[in-house]
Amino acid sequence: MKKLLVCGAGGFIGGHLVKRLKKQGHWVRGVDLKLHEFSDSPADEFILGDLTDQEFVRQILDMPFDEVYQLASDMGGAGYIFTGDNDANLMHNSASINLNIIREANKMGVKKIFYSSSACIYPEYNQMDPANPKCAESSAYPAAPDSEYGWEKLFSERLYLAFNKNYGLDIRIARFHNVFGPEGTWVGGKEKAPAAICRKVAEAAENGFIDVWGDGLQTRSFLYIDECLEAVERLMESNFIGPVNIGSEEMVSLNQLAAMVMKIANKPLSINNIPVSYTGVRGRNSDNKLIKQALGWAPSRPLAEGLTKTYEWIQEQVSVSRPVLAE
Ligand code: NAD
């Protein structure tokens, strides 16, 4: 049994990770600003607090954990990251969290620490062609992320790498590409494309329409949560530090994603593409050559399968949250 710390345990990926680690029989301390919204955490301890506060980080990192999973960050979907309205907060908060955690983890002699970076670190100039984006790990520099969120992730990658270089701290870095699944934010402004589209389809009237941001021709790939956690486990068990992409290579346009959800829901709707300035890069796809070679990992199931499970969960959320007329 290992002693593990999960920072961001009240969030989407952290919540699923705690469940997986507990099933494997480990002792887990979860930490977050908030409790998990959608299910009770099976963590042995769940401590609420703000990881931008150095004193709080000192309290929760009070032992030489076998592994620390650092998933906490101030983040959201395109409507949160790309409008520019949250840039100062998300840079300052996420950088402070990482600075605090790496310092205390190093002091405490934590044995291994996982850092969740993002595909948002990749240069915009390699992602202008929706049919042919380039996201190999080696293409990260010269750096030109299209968001401050991406710049903070790149800074923090370098921070973890520097602690590895100068203090021998054992680190692992993954660049996640659009992870989705049940029990993720699906409403309120921080939800990402798969959840937003599932919600819109579930809420739409029969033969109605849904809004899709931009021209809908922008491309992305999406990775189901269980696949993501399997890859994280393999990375942690390997001697490979990364940074490495953890994503899917099944690239679709946003309009194609919407059509897939409609098919799953058996609801033929029209798509209303609305012009917005914050859709992110034109094309993005995971490049899995390195992870296949280093860890022998690739996603095992098609996008439609994960989307079906996600749609079913979001449809249920929509139906229980819909206001009903009092009798
Ligand atoms: P999430 O927003 O659901 O989870 C992040 C958690 O961090 C939240 O529960 C939030 O409350 C917590 N947090 C934020 N600020 C905090 C603070 N000051 N103190 C304590 N807790 C704080 O996001 P997620 O989708 O679970 O993502 C987990 C990690 O993976 C994040 O670092 C994210 O940047 C990264 N990532 C996710 C994706 C994705 O598609 N989900 C893609 C790339 C990278």
Side-chain angles (χ1 to χ4, degrees), residues 64-68 105 108-113 168-171:
F65 285 96
D66 294 302
E67 290 167 6
V68 170
M108 263 299 144
V110 161
K111 297 194 182 64
K112 205 185 282 180
I113 179 160
L169 194 62
D170 198 10
I171 60 157

Side-chain angles (χ1 to χ4, degrees), residues 305-318:
E305 197 173 299
L307 266 186
T308 304
K309 293 181 197 161
T310 308
Y311 180 77
E312 283 166 0
W313 181 80
I314 290 179
Q315 189 190 29
E316 205 181 304
Q317 308 307 303
V318 168

